[in-house]
Amino acid sequence: LEPIEDENIGKKDKVISHEKFKANSSKNVISFKYLQSTFSSIDVAKILAEHNYTAEYILSTEFDIFTFKKRYGYSKVMPIVGKVLFEHFGLDQMVEKSKLDNFINSISACYVKEVLYHNAMHGTDVTLSVALTIMNSDFEEKLHASKLDILSLITSALGHDIGHPGLNNAYLMNCFSEIAVNYNDKSVLENFHSANLFRIIKERQNNIFEKFSAYDFKTEMISCWYDKNTGEDGSLYISF
């Protein structure tokens, strides 16, 4: 999704222009140029040591994601933190390890950096919050959560706002955007984000779930991703 910027807005206040978004709403707004990209592998311990970070610190409540961004740069935050989480929970042993770096990097790259809030920093922050909740509660014991459940949660958290344009559902529906039309005004952005995650996985170099059975993928992964993102009036979360 290419950012649409207004040249009349200063650099410090750069946002996506509503008028330009509306003008482009008849176009295909989903144009993820990174879907077929290949990213280099990340050696977590080595890259963290460059600035005296440890996995333990990243997984603590003391971790400051904004300082981390200053040290490593925006584009490396989700790939590094995501890899730390996969390794901490042993999820890297469940998936195609050779494709894991590409998968996380592709998710990060398909967030729109110019969107002030719903960007890859937000996606990473939410994923860390999910991970800390799992680690510091009796979540696994009370819900009898399996490794597959945790893999589903971490993956859906990483990609829960992929491609967010910085505009809400009401705006997208009122301007008859292509996204709203595609999803018939039903949980517009939520369906959009879920679909984007599938678009990433469909690329062979990103498909870390290649060896999963159809049953596990459909019953666990898909249901978690979809339920994580849908619930247009909030009733889903309240009932949970």
Side-chain angles (χ1 to χ4, degrees):
L1 187 146
E2 297 297 332
I4 304 162
E5 299 171 3
D6 191 331
E7 61 271 20
N8 295 318
I9 299 175
K11 290 184 178 180
K12 291 184 178 180
D13 302 305
K14 186 181 291 184
V15 297
I16 290 182
S17 164
H18 289 203
E19 287 307 312
K20 286 194 175 183
F21 186 89
K22 185 173 180 179
N24 283 273
S25 64
S26 61
K27 300 178 181 178
N28 180 10
V29 294
I30 308 169
S31 57
F32 292 149
K33 61 184 178 181
Y34 297 104
L35 283 183
Q36 297 180 338
S37 299
T38 301
F39 298 89
S40 58
S41 179
I42 296 174
D43 183 331
V44 169
K46 183 177 180 180
I47 199 168
L48 290 180
E50 292 177 6
H51 294 287
N52 298 316
Y53 277 95
T54 63
E56 291 73 24
Y57 179 69
I58 288 176
L59 295 170
S60 74
T61 55
E62 301 298 316
F63 177 62
D64 183 344
I65 195 171
F66 296 105
T67 300
F68 192 78
K69 174 191 171 186
K70 290 179 181 178
R71 301 276 173 80
Y72 289 96
Y74 170 88
S75 64
K76 290 185 178 179
V77 173
M78 181 177 283
I80 296 173
V81 174
K83 191 78 174 284
V84 166
L85 294 176
F86 266 78
E87 292 183 356
H88 172 80
F89 289 111
L91 307 179
D92 58 324
Q93 304 300 317
M94 300 175 62
V95 301
E96 290 289 328
K97 294 182 72 172
S98 62
K99 300 180 179 182
L100 181 57
D101 289 290
N102 226 68
F103 174 66
I104 301 175
N105 270 283
S106 294
I107 291 177
S108 176
C110 288
Y111 275 89
V112 184
K113 182 179 179 181
E114 287 77 9
V115 170
L116 299 183
Y117 180 74
H118 293 98
N119 53 42
M121 292 288 289
H122 167 70
T124 307
D125 193 43
V126 167
T127 307
L128 272 172
S129 296
V130 170
L132 287 172
T133 299
I134 295 172
M135 292 166 57
N136 298 304
S137 69
D138 53 3
F139 168 86
E140 294 181 73
E141 179 185 351
K142 285 289 179 67
L143 296 182
H144 306 290
S146 65
K147 285 287 186 183
L148 190 57
D149 293 323
I150 295 175
L151 175 61
S152 303
L153 282 170
I154 295 299
T155 305
S156 63
L158 281 170
H160 80 279
D161 270 333
I162 297 177
H164 201 297
L167 304 167
N168 62 25
N169 282 340
Y171 183 88
L172 295 173
M173 290 186 287
N174 288 333
C175 75
F176 296 97
S177 75
E178 190 69 17
I179 301 175
V181 171
N182 283 342
Y183 299 110
N184 200 30
D185 288 354
K186 301 295 183 182
S187 300
V188 175
L189 284 169
E190 292 73 23
N191 279 305
F192 177 63
H193 303 318
S194 296
N196 290 338
L197 186 55
F198 284 110
R199 287 187 179 92
I200 289 173
I201 294 168
K202 280 180 65 178
E203 298 296 329
R204 181 179 292 273
Q205 72 274 15
N206 300 329
N207 189 6
I208 61 174
F209 310 105
E210 193 171 46
K211 293 184 179 179
F212 276 47
S213 70
Y215 177 82
D216 283 343
F217 189 73
K218 288 183 177 180
T219 59
E220 292 284 344
M221 308 302 293
I222 293 179
S223 62
C224 181
W225 297 344
Y226 186 75
D227 289 347
K228 171 74 172 62
N229 257 330
T230 55
E232 47 202 304
D233 58 358
S235 60
L236 177 67
Y237 305 111
I238 294 171
S239 64
F240 177 78

